[in-house]
């Protein structure tokens, strides 16, 4: 059994699942099973240093990108050569800025094309904002302001918006949804096969007055979503030709995001 090099406790996790009984007259049975949950560094942690031998665990790929390669063993089996550094950086960032956890989940949903999850998250944020407005004491002076997830820019991923992420991952349904919820694209530009399902799912465009059109926002490469689509080509060529992603500047200043605070040594 693998043990933690720092505390010497077993590296396991308890997994709950329900096993259906063979006899239809019997109810299903809830089971618990202890499975491995271990990360083995291939080289020898602070984030880049082993707590046991103090060796540097960073690898440098051919692209000169830093990596921490490890072997991950859990309920899904063994995965060798897994780069865990992006996860460590994200968790370190979220420890400093926990209010951005939902916004980062939003970006993951955009990449995966999960329209239902995006709507649930956005509507959940709207409910929270409404509660805060009804209960001013719930948001004391100095507390972090609610994050506009529709216009959130990833400080760990080149300042991409959800629109950039959806385009990069070929998710046309998500692009339509974000244009509906976070842009000033004229209503007549949306096809019925987009608007009708959106209405059924409860996707309603709010008044965009005073809000930044998501198509205006640039990533760290100074590319708007339209410019990214032009670079990628393929299915996005028709989007660019039709002007659906064309930035519409209304004089509203884009949002400025904080940088990740340096970790203390």
């Amino acid at each position: 059994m693998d043990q933690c090099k720092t505390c010497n406790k077993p590296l396991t996790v308890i997994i709950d699942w329900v096993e259906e009984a063979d006899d239809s007259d019997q109810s299903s049975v809830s089971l618990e099973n202890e499975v491995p949950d271990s990360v083995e560094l291939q080289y020898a942690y602070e984030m880049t240093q082993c707590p046991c031998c103090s060796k540097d665990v960073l690898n440098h790929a051919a692209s000169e990108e830093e990596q921490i390669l490890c072997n991950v063993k859990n309920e899904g089996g063994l995965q060798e050569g897994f780069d865990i550094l992006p996860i460590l950086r994200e968790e370190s960032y979220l420890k400093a800025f926990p209010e951005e956890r939902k916004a980062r989940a939003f970006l993951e949903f955009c990449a995966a094309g999960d329209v239902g999850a995006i709507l649930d998250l956005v509507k959940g944020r709207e409910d929270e904002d409404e509660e805060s407005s009804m209960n001013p004491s719930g948001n004391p002076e100095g507390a972090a302001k609610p994050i506009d997830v529709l216009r959130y820019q990833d400080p760990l991923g080149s300042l991409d918006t959800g629109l950039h992420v959806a385009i990069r991952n070929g998710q046309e349904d998500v692009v339509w949804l974000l244009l509906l919820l976070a842009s000033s694209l004229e209503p007549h530009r949306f096809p019925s096969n987009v608007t009708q399902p959106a209405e059924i799912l409860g996707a309603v465009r709010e008044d965009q007055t005073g809000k930044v059109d998501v198509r205006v926002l640039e990533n760290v490469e100074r590319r708007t979503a339209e410019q990214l689509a032009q670079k990628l080509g393929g299915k996005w060529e028709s989007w660019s030709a039709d002007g659906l992603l064309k930035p519409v500047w209304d004089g509203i200043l884009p949002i400025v995001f904080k940088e990740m605070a340096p970790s203390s040594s």
Side-chain angles (χ1 to χ4, degrees):
M1 183 72 66
D2 291 341
Q3 292 183 327
C4 174
K5 294 296 184 182
T6 301
C7 67
N8 297 319
K9 291 182 179 180
L11 294 172
T12 60
V13 64
I14 301 296
I15 301 296
D16 295 324
W17 71 82
V18 176
E19 185 176 88
E20 298 294 337
D22 294 335
D23 189 341
S24 59
D25 294 333
Q26 296 181 1
S27 60
S28 57
V29 180
S30 178
L31 301 174
E32 288 188 352
N33 190 36
E34 188 176 43
V35 298
D37 191 32
S38 171
V39 174
E40 177 189 3
L41 295 171
Q42 291 184 345
Y43 294 90
Y45 167 82
E46 264 174 14
M47 186 138 95
T48 63
Q49 207 173 58
C50 174
C52 196
C53 65
S54 299
K55 287 184 179 179
D56 185 8
V57 298
L58 279 175
N59 304 90
H60 294 275
S63 61
E64 298 186 356
E65 202 175 303
E66 290 182 335
Q67 299 177 317
I68 296 181
L69 300 179
C70 61
N71 299 329
V72 178
K73 184 166 57 178
N74 53 28
E75 67 272 19
L78 175 64
Q79 184 176 355
E80 298 181 342
F82 179 79
D83 181 14
I84 201 172
L85 185 56
I87 296 176
L88 295 178
R89 282 178 171 157
E90 181 175 30
E91 286 304 314
S92 177
Y93 182 84
L94 290 175
K95 186 176 180 179
F97 307 110
E99 67 276 8
E100 297 192 21
R101 191 170 293 275
K102 286 187 178 180
R104 298 197 63 76
F106 165 76
L107 295 180
E108 293 180 10
F109 297 151
C110 290
D114 196 337
V115 170
I118 292 172
L119 284 173
D120 287 342
L121 190 149
V122 170
K123 287 189 285 188
R125 293 294 302 187
E126 290 173 352
D127 292 341
E128 291 176 9
D129 294 345
E130 186 175 345
E131 289 178 6
S132 297
S133 64
M134 295 176 63
N135 181 23
S137 61
N139 188 28
E141 186 177 352
K145 294 182 179 179
I147 294 173
D148 183 354
V149 296
L150 293 171
R151 296 166 179 82
Y152 178 74
Q153 292 181 260
D154 184 4
L156 302 180
S158 302
L159 291 181
D160 279 351
T161 65
L163 190 59
H164 287 90
V165 172
I167 289 172
R168 202 182 295 281
N169 288 274
Q171 305 294 353
E172 291 184 275
D173 289 343
V174 173
V175 172
W176 278 119
L177 178 63
L178 297 183
L179 291 180
L180 178 65
L181 298 178
S183 84
S184 57
L185 183 66
E186 300 88 343
H188 72 269
R189 303 295 303 274
F190 293 90
S192 58
N193 65 336
V194 170
T195 56
Q196 291 175 359
E199 290 174 2
I200 294 173
L201 292 172
V204 179
R205 172 183 279 183
E206 294 183 342
D207 183 5
Q208 297 297 304
T209 303
K211 295 185 177 182
V212 176
D213 190 316
V214 69
R215 296 172 295 176
V216 169
L217 298 176
E218 299 176 341
N219 62 14
V220 74
E221 297 175 335
R222 304 301 302 272
R223 284 197 176 99
T224 62
E226 180 188 47
Q227 291 168 329
L228 176 61
Q230 291 170 342
K231 176 187 176 184
L232 296 177
K235 69 168 70 177
W236 302 115
E237 291 179 1
S238 61
W239 286 74
S240 299
D242 292 340
L244 295 170
L245 299 171
K246 187 175 183 61
V248 176
W249 180 255
D250 58 5
I252 304 298
L253 290 175
I255 305 167
V256 177
F257 292 88
K258 54 184 169 290
E259 296 181 357
M260 181 177 176
S263 58
S264 57
S265 56

